[in-house]
C-alpha cells in the first residue's frame, strides 16, 4: 500500500514542480516585458520633454504640455486662486526656513572667510523672505501652520551641518538649493499655464509679478548651489548620504507647507 502510494505521489510531485516552474517562467517573462515597456515609455516621454539648462528661463516650455497644464486651462477661478495661494504659502515658508539654515551656519562660521560667503547668501535669502512676506499680506494668504517647526528645524540643520565642518555646511547648501531651484522651475511651468487667456483669470498682473520674482529667486538659488560646489561641498564626509537625507527632508517640508 505504501509503495503504491509513494509511486503515485512521485509523478504527481514532479508534475507539480514542472507546472510551477512553467508558471514562474511565464511570470518572469511577463514582468520583464512590463519593465521593457515601462523603460521604453519613460525614454519616449523624456525625448518629448525638452530638458532646460539650469540657467535658462523655463518660459521656453510649452504651456499646454502635460495633463496638469491642460487641466489648468479649464480650472475655475477658485481653483486658480487656491493654486496661487499654495505657491505663495510654500515659498514664504521655504525662504524663512532658508534664512534659519544660514543663521545656524553663521553661528559657527561668523567672522571667518567662509562666514562671509554664507552671509552673502543669507542676505539674499532675507530679501526673498521679505518679498514673500509682502505677498502673504497683499494677497491675504494664510501662512503655513508649520512655521514654528521650520523655524527650529532650519536652524538645527544649519547648525548641525556647520559643526560637521565647512564642507558639510556647503553640502547642505547644495542639497537645499537644488531642491528649491527645481521646485521654483515647477512653479514657473504652472504659472506659464495659468498665464494663458482665461475668463477665470484671477489677475494677470499678480501672475506676472509672481513669475518675475520666482524667476529671479530661482537664479539666486542656483548661484548658491554653485557657490557650495566651489567651496568643496562634495568633499564632505558621506556627501551622497547627507545630500539625499537633506533633499528628502526638503521635499517633505514642501509637501506639508503647501497643505497645512
Amino acid at each position: 500500500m505504501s509503495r503504491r502510494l509513494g509511486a503515485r505521489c512521485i509523478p504527481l510531485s514532479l508534475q507539480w514542480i514542472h507546472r510551477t516552474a512553467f508558471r514562474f517562467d511565464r511570470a518572469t517573462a511577463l514582468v520583464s516585458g512590463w519593465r521593457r515597456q515601462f523603460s521604453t515609455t519613460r525614454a519616449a516621454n523624456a525625448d518629448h520633454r525638452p530638458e532646460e539648462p539650469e540657467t535658462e528661463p523655463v518660459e521656453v516650455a510649452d504651456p499646454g504640455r502635460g495633463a496638469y497644464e491642460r487641466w489648468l486651462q479649464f480650472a475655475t477661478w477658485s481653483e486658480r486662486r487656491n493654486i496661487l495661494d499654495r505657491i505663495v504659502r510654500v515659498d514664504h515658508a521655504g525662504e524663512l526656513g532658508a534664512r534659519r539654515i544660514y543663521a545656524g551656519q553663521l553661528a559657527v562660521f561668523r567672522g571667518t572667510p567662509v562666514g562671509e560667503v554664507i552671509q552673502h547668501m543669507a542676505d539674499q535669502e532675507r530679501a526673498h523672505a521679505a518679498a514673500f512676506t509682502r505677498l502673504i499680506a497683499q494677497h491675504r494668504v494664510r501662512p503655513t501652520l508649520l512655521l514654528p517647526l521650520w523655524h527650529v528645524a532650519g536652524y538645527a540643520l544649519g547648525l548641525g551641518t556647520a559643526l560637521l565642518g565647512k564642507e558639510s555646511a556647503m553640502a547642505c547648501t547644495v542639497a537645499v538649493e537644488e531642491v528649491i531651484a527645481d521646485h521654483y522651475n515647477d512653479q514657473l511651468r504652472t504659472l506659464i499655464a495659468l498665464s494663458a487667456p482665461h475668463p477665470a483669470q484671477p489677475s494677470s498682473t499678480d501672475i506676472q509679478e509672481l513669475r518675475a520674482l520666482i524667476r529671479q529667486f530661482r537664479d539666486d538659488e542656483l548661484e548658491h548651489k554653485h557657490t557650495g560646489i566651489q567651496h568643496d561641498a562634495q568633499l564632505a564626509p558621506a556627501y551622497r548620504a547627507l545630500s539625499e537625507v537633506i533633499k528628502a527632508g526638503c521635499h517633505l517640508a514642501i509637501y506639508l507647507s503647501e497643505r497645512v
Side-chain angles (χ1 to χ4, degrees), residues 41-234:
T41 303
R42 288 188 61 185
N45 291 338
D47 291 339
H48 288 292
R49 191 177 188 89
E51 293 187 4
E52 301 166 17
E54 290 179 332
T55 55
E56 289 295 323
V58 298
E59 281 76 6
V60 299
D62 181 4
R65 188 182 302 279
Y68 179 65
E69 287 79 4
R70 289 194 294 272
W71 172 81
L72 287 175
Q73 296 176 2
F74 301 97
T76 64
W77 185 92
S78 60
E79 289 170 335
R80 287 172 168 239
R81 183 73 263 174
N82 182 57
I83 291 170
L84 293 178
D85 287 353
R86 288 174 64 166
I87 288 176
V88 173
R89 179 182 302 115
V90 68
D91 291 351
H92 173 252
E95 296 298 348
L96 289 177
R99 282 195 62 188
R100 295 297 293 164
I101 291 174
Y102 287 124
Q105 293 180 349
L106 285 172
V108 176
F109 292 118
R110 183 173 279 109
T112 66
V114 71
E116 297 178 1
V117 176
I118 294 174
Q119 184 64 62
H120 171 71
M121 296 188 288
D123 291 340
Q124 289 183 315
E125 299 294 354
R126 183 180 298 108
H128 298 178
F132 280 112
T133 299
R134 174 180 58 82
L135 291 177
I136 282 276
Q138 176 181 333
H139 298 291
R140 298 181 180 180
V141 177
R142 175 186 61 79
T144 176
L145 301 177
L146 299 175
L147 280 182
L149 175 60
W150 306 146
H151 185 83
V152 175
Y155 189 88
L157 177 60
L159 179 65
T161 53
L163 290 175
L164 292 175
K166 174 181 74 73
E167 293 81 6
S168 295
M170 289 299 169
C172 174
T173 294
V174 170
V176 171
E177 303 296 21
E178 180 176 327
V179 172
I180 299 305
D182 289 343
H183 177 64
Y184 277 154
N185 273 335
D186 290 338
Q187 290 183 338
L188 285 170
R189 293 185 180 95
T190 297
L191 292 173
I192 290 171
L194 285 177
S195 298
H198 193 282
Q201 189 70 19
S203 172
S204 177
T205 303
D206 293 343
I207 291 179
Q208 295 303 325
E209 178 190 11
L210 191 54
R211 278 177 61 180
L213 280 176
I214 291 178
R215 190 186 313 116
Q216 175 191 339
F217 296 167
R218 184 274 315 272
D219 293 343
D220 289 343
E221 309 301 359
L222 288 173
E223 176 189 330
H224 298 171
K225 173 188 172 181
H226 297 152
T227 298
I229 293 174
Q230 291 169 1
H231 286 79
D232 302 329
Q234 295 173 328

